Amino acid sequence: ITMSSVSSDVFLDDDKLQEGADENFVEMEVFDVVDQARRDNSALTRKEEIKIALDFCKEKLRLLSESDEKEERNLRQGYLDKLIQLGLEKQTIEDEDGEKEEVVRVRGHSFVIQPIRGRNPTCEVCMTTIWKLMHAWRRCKYCGLRTHDKCSSEVRRVCASSLVARRDFSLRTSICQEKGLAAQNYRCHECAHPLSFDASSALEPRLCDYTGLYFCSSCHWNDQMSIPARLVHNLDSEPRPVSRAAKQLLTIIDNRPLIPLATANPMLIKLNSSLKRITRIRSDFLFMKCYFVSCRSARQLRILQYLCRHQHFVESAELYTMAEMRDLVSGKLLEEMEDIHHVFTKHITEECETCMGNAFVCELCPDKQIIFPFSDSVSMCCKCLAVFHHKCFEINSRFCTRCERRSKRAPVQIDPNERL
């Protein structure tokens, strides 16, 4: 064995011994602080003890942050390791107890304390990193806005869920025109921060494609979302830059049926074959719902659950969600609706005797084949809802035999004042 190898092993052991000594020193210091706190207050809970130890470690790290000596670095690492250990223990206790932190409500937000697991987010108030092991932080359970616990009272942005809940809320379905910085007095629309194209990147104005307004870099993080107006008018689902407020709003309403396509752009339904077919399928669903409501077998099978996130399809034939508009552009929506339409049609016309018993026969021609309101080439009487072949109904000048029978069975009303 050479002398050099022996000396290196000795130095290595000395380093390990020093690290172990520093770790024991940190443990003893934390133990002494907690023990003194117990003597002062014998009613301390374990969670309160952990909080005292965490505050002590943070203070020690703050005092040692500017030192570059080797011993000080080892101590700093020891305090950091202890801080992580205490933070994980605190989170475990909170998870086991099921403790619910106090909800802080500001401008429609409902901020709740978040766990320390996961990546470190950015505070949307002070624009600094939230170090979860060092800082308590909150997140709005409605719009997802993240902030330090100490910054939650300084939030200026109104919660997007509060805006959507208003009675007068309506989604923008017209493409916004850019107004220019002069219309905003060269300031951010949300926080009034100065903006300028000629200054540094900190003053760079960023355009929101949803509102057509300019924002600063703190209120606009270059998030990209599909724009409702471009989907409605151009079937353009390409994501475009939007402000943080617009992103949170569009995220909340993504699966809400708020787009009245037939009102916003009626010509689109006539010109787009896929949309025209989906409109017909949705109209059929409204008729099929009447069969399923009166069918015991359909209720047991819960057949309407095939629509899943499209439950509004059996409530109206006009409203669409943002997610459905994107699926329409990609072709997924039509494919999914065709499959569901096939399942519904097969149940009513082939599998269920109750539904087949509610079928119609055209009374204007000798053909006795059963037909349904959602069958092809049929017409329906707007008064009694009887179904006929479209050709037969038009040839007979939209004459309805059921309405005629009902009129004949109607009782004759006699005026009691009329003399016999």
Side-chain angles (χ1 to χ4, degrees):
I1 303 173
T2 62
M3 193 66 183
S4 60
S5 63
V6 172
S7 60
S8 63
D9 290 342
V10 172
F11 292 146
L12 183 59
D13 292 339
D14 289 343
D15 292 340
K16 290 182 178 179
L17 288 173
Q18 182 62 37
E19 291 177 5
D22 292 336
E23 184 177 348
N24 291 333
F25 177 75
V26 171
E27 290 285 349
M28 290 300 298
E29 271 201 324
V30 172
F31 176 81
D32 291 341
V33 170
V34 174
D35 186 58
Q36 182 62 40
R38 285 200 202 102
R39 292 177 184 177
D40 297 339
N41 184 5
S42 59
L44 280 178
T45 63
R46 179 54 185 163
K47 187 175 178 182
E48 292 172 340
E49 293 175 0
I50 291 175
K51 185 179 184 304
I52 294 172
L54 284 171
D55 293 339
F56 173 76
C57 291
K58 290 178 184 178
E59 181 63 22
K60 285 292 185 180
L61 283 172
R62 187 183 66 81
L63 296 174
L64 295 171
S65 60
E66 299 179 356
S67 177
D68 292 332
E69 296 182 7
K70 185 176 180 180
E71 294 182 359
E72 301 295 339
R73 287 201 305 269
N74 291 337
L75 275 177
R76 189 162 60 243
Q77 184 62 42
Y79 283 116
L80 184 60
D81 293 341
K82 188 63 178 177
L83 188 71
I84 295 173
Q85 177 188 347
L86 291 169
L88 292 174
E89 185 179 354
K90 179 183 177 184
Q91 185 61 45
T92 302
I93 293 174
E94 290 177 352
D95 291 344
E96 290 177 353
D97 295 343
E99 181 180 6
K100 295 184 179 179
E101 299 289 345
E102 179 185 359
V103 178
V104 176
R105 292 181 171 83
V106 181
R107 293 183 175 271
H109 298 279
S110 292
F111 291 111
V112 292
I113 288 289
Q114 297 299 304
I116 62 174
R117 299 187 181 94
R119 64 181 182 86
N120 295 317
T122 301
C123 176
E124 298 190 39
V125 177
C126 65
M127 298 305 297
T128 59
T129 301
I130 301 174
W131 300 102
K132 294 183 177 181
L133 292 174
M134 307 287 288
H135 307 136
W137 69 292
R138 294 178 180 270
R139 183 177 184 271
C140 177
K141 60 183 180 181
Y142 299 125
C143 70
L145 189 145
R146 296 162 294 188
T147 175
H148 290 105
D149 185 23
K150 62 181 180 181
C151 298
S152 59
S153 60
E154 301 176 10
V155 174
R156 298 180 182 178
R157 185 183 309 152
V158 178
C159 184
S161 64
S162 300
L163 299 176
V164 175
R166 293 177 180 175
R167 293 184 178 180
D168 57 346
F169 173 79
S170 61
L171 199 62
R172 293 175 183 264
T173 55
S174 58
I175 299 177
C176 296
Q177 297 181 355
E178 181 182 344
K179 299 179 181 179
L181 274 178
Q184 298 180 206
N185 198 22
Y186 296 93
R187 292 186 176 275
C188 172
H189 176 71
E190 182 173 331
C191 67
H193 189 276
L195 300 176
S196 175
F197 285 106
D198 300 329
S200 62
S201 59
L203 301 179
E204 174 194 3
R206 297 181 179 180
L207 179 65
C208 174
D209 201 80
Y210 176 69
T211 60
L213 300 170
Y214 283 97
F215 296 82
C216 64
S217 57
S218 298
C219 303
H220 193 313
W221 295 4
N222 285 326
D223 298 308
Q224 296 198 349
M225 300 286 289
S226 298
I227 308 302
R230 298 187 184 277
L231 279 168
V232 168
H233 295 284
N234 304 327
L235 289 182
D236 180 7
S237 61
E238 181 181 354
R240 287 178 166 78
V242 294
S243 65
R244 291 294 296 171
K247 178 185 182 293
Q248 292 164 0
L249 176 68
L250 294 175
T251 301
I252 287 178
I253 58 94
D254 193 60
N255 289 309
R256 298 191 184 188
L258 295 173
I259 302 179
L261 195 58
T263 304
N265 191 2
M267 290 300 297
L268 187 62
I269 300 176
K270 299 179 180 179
L271 299 176
N272 187 277
S273 57
S274 298
L275 188 54
K276 189 175 182 179
R277 174 58 183 162
I278 289 177
T279 303
R280 170 61 193 275
I281 290 175
R282 292 190 61 172
S283 177
D284 291 347
F285 284 164
L286 295 177
F287 291 125
M288 292 175 176
K289 178 186 176 181
C290 300
Y291 283 84
F292 295 148
V293 168
S294 60
C295 175
R296 180 182 300 175
S297 175
R299 291 197 300 271
Q300 291 176 348
L301 294 172
R302 297 183 178 179
I303 197 168
L304 285 175
Q305 289 190 359
Y306 274 94
L307 286 172
C308 225
R309 59 190 178 94
H310 308 290
Q311 286 295 322
H312 55 280
F313 279 13
V314 292
E315 297 173 2
S316 70
E318 294 184 358
L319 297 178
Y320 289 84
T321 67
M322 285 284 295
E324 289 165 354
M325 292 299 295
R326 290 196 302 271
D327 290 343
L328 171 63
V329 175
S330 64
K332 295 180 182 179
L333 183 62
L334 178 58
E335 183 180 352
E336 182 182 0
M337 292 301 106
E338 289 284 11
D339 293 340
I340 297 175
H341 188 269
H342 175 73
V343 173
F344 286 2
T345 303
K346 186 176 181 180
H347 173 86
I348 295 174
T349 61
E350 300 177 17
E351 298 176 348
C352 180
E353 294 184 359
T354 303
C355 295
M356 292 174 62
N358 290 324
F360 293 85
V361 175
C362 181
E363 300 179 15
L364 300 178
C365 70
D367 186 3
K368 300 304 178 183
Q369 185 177 3
I370 59 174
I371 54 178
F372 296 88
F374 51 84
S375 301
D376 294 330
S377 302
V378 297
S379 293
M380 180 181 294
C381 175
C382 60
K383 293 183 179 180
C384 67
L385 305 181
V387 181
F388 306 92
H389 293 129
H390 178 71
K391 186 177 181 180
C392 301
F393 200 50
E394 294 298 329
I395 290 176
N396 288 274
S397 301
R398 307 183 70 83
F399 170 73
C400 178
T401 53
R402 176 188 277 187
C403 290
E404 184 184 19
R405 290 195 302 271
R406 287 182 174 180
S407 63
K408 290 180 179 179
R409 291 198 299 265
V412 179
Q413 296 183 358
I414 301 176
D415 187 359
N417 297 326
E418 184 179 356
R419 295 181 180 180
L420 298 177

